[in-house]
Amino acid sequence: MITCTQTYCHPEESGCAEEGGGDGTKCKFRKKAANQAESGKAAALGPSEVTELPAGFRVSWTGSPLGAQDMRLLTARSRVLCIGLVGAANAGKTTFLALLYALLRQGQGIPGYRFAGSYTLPGWEAIASYLTFKESRTDIQFPPHTSRSTGRDEGRVPGILHLALRSEDEPAAVLDVLFTDAPGEWFTDWIIKHDSDTAAGARWVYQHSRAFLLFADRERLTGTQRGQARGEIKELADRLTHRLGSRPLGLVWTKADVPNERPQFLTDISQHLQHAAPRHYREFEVSVELSGADRWHPQVLDSVAWLLDTHCRELGTTPPVPVPSTTEQDLFLLRRQVIR
Ligand SMILES: Nc1nc2c(ncn2[C@@H]2O[C@H](COP(=O)(O)OP(=O)(O)OP(=O)(O)O)[C@@H](O)[C@H]2O)c(=O)[nH]1
Ligand SMILES: [Mg+2]
């Protein structure tokens, strides 16, 4: 049997760890194991020849963005809400996440929720550090393009950032919220051919997310590529709404600081989405620009709060059955428990 050279990976039991649970046919470690088995060298391998496992790799407390396997740890402890960030390359997805974290770090809150921790603080810091003021620079820097080749998942699972939140209405329960930070190219491939190999990551996001934010780049919608940009957003909207069900969908207009001379393009996209009639739909306008911080920054927090509220409402909680006040029955037997 061909297994894997990596001690933490057991493809025969839980799928390929490198591919986020896939069959591992393309995994470099598995191929290596196969070659070793063929040449009969595998059994002779000494400890120094086995590829070393980087310290802390594949455990959830490294602080790096999570992978599919880590998600299982979270689902074992609580209700997990995965929010899929969908949009073309350069649309502003990673910057949105960086801004969200920078606002939380500054003490601002997601309305109705309290920050209760994160397994991926260094991951958040890594992207937010770009937006953080540095003495040597006065201009805003942005997080780098999310590359399709980086990460340990070979492009099948996005980097996932985690927040633990407590709802002010239900402080006893911790809500684990995951945000996918995937490269825009995945979604472009998904539009072109939804079942292609290169769209596997986008399909993963669609399948695992319980709520979505679709990113529309206002800057691109005013430039020379505006026609193509509008087409892409509409096609992404079609893919998302195809089997959306009751999952909430927020449209995020990014780069709100950039003047848009083609308001018709924006209206057109908005109408297209409303025509598809998602059950829960709202629009938000965001920008990192400090000049419009009062207007644009709160919408980052509001968009997340709206997704969480809508998701929790959709899950529903059974209302307690009212006890009639005039009853002859034993009060002990009438005790009701609301199971959440
Ligand atoms: N003017 C302005 N530009 C922005 C803003 N947010 C992002 N940008 C620009 O858009 C670029 C892309 O932003 P990202 O957040 O990396 O976009 P992304 O969707 O994560 O892109 P991929 O990782 O390639 O999928 C940044 O490098 C900035 O140049 C904004 O609020 N205002
Ligand atoms: Mg990105």
Side-chain angles (χ1 to χ4, degrees):
M1 182 176 54
I2 300 165
T3 57
C4 184
T5 56
Q6 302 300 287
T7 50
Y8 59 87
C9 179
H10 308 283
E12 66 286 1
E13 285 171 19
S14 49
C16 172
E18 284 295 306
E19 289 189 354
D23 61 7
T25 43
K26 290 189 186 148
C27 174
K28 58 179 183 269
F29 296 122
R30 193 158 179 196
K31 279 191 192 138
K32 202 169 153 193
N35 292 341
Q36 285 165 354
E38 258 172 40
S39 59
K41 285 181 190 162
L45 269 183
S48 61
E49 291 164 280
V50 178
T51 314
E52 281 296 323
L53 181 67
F57 191 63
R58 288 223 74 82
V59 291
S60 56
W61 55 91
T62 58
S64 305
L66 305 174
Q69 302 240 331
D70 310 304
M71 268 181 80
R72 288 184 206 148
L73 289 175
L74 287 175
T75 43
R77 96 162 183 178
S78 74
R79 221 157 59 189
V80 175
L81 167 60
C82 182
I83 299 180
L85 273 62
V86 176
N90 246 29
K93 301 180 292 297
T94 308
T95 306
F96 174 91
L97 289 174
L99 183 56
L100 168 66
Y101 179 73
L103 294 172
L104 292 176
R105 194 176 55 182
Q106 208 184 61
Q108 301 195 38
I110 297 169
Y113 297 86
R114 283 189 296 132
F115 177 79
S118 169
Y119 279 132
T120 58
L121 282 176
W124 286 108
E125 285 287 338
I127 52 168
S129 64
Y130 292 96
L131 297 184
T132 307
F133 175 75
K134 294 176 195 70
E135 277 182 22
S136 53
R137 301 191 63 135
T138 49
D139 56 327
I140 293 179
Q141 288 174 275
F142 289 96
H145 160 70
T146 312
S147 156
R148 67 155 87 223
S149 59
T150 51
R152 58 200 181 183
D153 40 52
E154 307 266 334
R156 297 176 75 94
V157 179
I160 297 171
L161 291 162
H162 167 252
L163 282 183
L165 299 170
R166 274 186 200 282
S167 158
E168 283 168 9
D169 292 341
E170 203 184 333
V174 170
L175 183 62
D176 284 303
V177 187
L178 304 174
F179 298 86
T180 66
D181 186 18
E185 287 95 342
W186 286 8
F187 301 108
T188 320
D189 291 344
W190 194 41
I191 299 174
I192 298 167
K193 197 163 185 290
H194 71 99
D195 55 356
S196 71
D197 229 29
T198 48
R203 286 197 300 275
W204 190 97
V205 172
Y206 193 52
Q207 191 190 342
H208 287 83
S209 302
R210 308 308 312 152
F212 295 99
L213 290 175
L214 172 60
F215 286 75
D217 180 349
R218 278 173 47 112
E219 186 179 31
R220 196 161 163 236
L221 284 164
T222 202
T224 49
Q225 291 188 346
R226 58 184 178 272
Q228 191 189 345
R230 178 175 59 181
E232 275 177 17
I233 297 168
K234 283 180 165 183
E235 283 178 79
L236 270 181
D238 292 344
R239 282 256 182 271
L240 280 174
T241 50
H242 179 53
R243 287 204 179 134
L244 189 63
S246 60
R247 296 180 286 180
L249 167 62
L251 176 65
V252 182
W253 298 107
T254 56
K255 313 182 192 180
D257 56 292
V258 179
N260 186 290
E261 287 119 38
R262 306 277 172 174
Q264 187 49 45
F265 275 62
L266 310 188
T267 316
D268 193 19
I269 291 169
S270 182
Q271 283 174 351
H272 184 82
L273 265 150
Q274 286 173 47
H275 185 69
R279 202 176 302 171
H280 305 289
Y281 174 71
R282 259 185 71 176
E283 295 184 16
F284 303 89
E285 217 180 18
V286 304
S287 165
V288 290
E289 261 297 317
L290 275 176
S291 58
D294 292 351
R295 204 169 122 214
W296 298 318
H297 291 185
Q299 295 198 51
V300 172
L301 302 164
D302 289 349
S303 63
V304 177
W306 175 71
L307 292 179
L308 299 181
D309 289 346
T310 313
H311 171 73
C312 291
R313 247 196 337 270
E314 268 298 323
L315 276 185
T317 45
T318 327
V321 184
V323 180
S325 55
T326 52
T327 176
E328 305 279 293
Q329 281 176 278
D330 184 337
L331 283 176
F332 178 77
L333 294 176
L334 278 172
R335 185 174 176 274
R336 299 287 202 281
Q337 188 184 13
V338 181
I339 299 164
R340 292 175 190 275

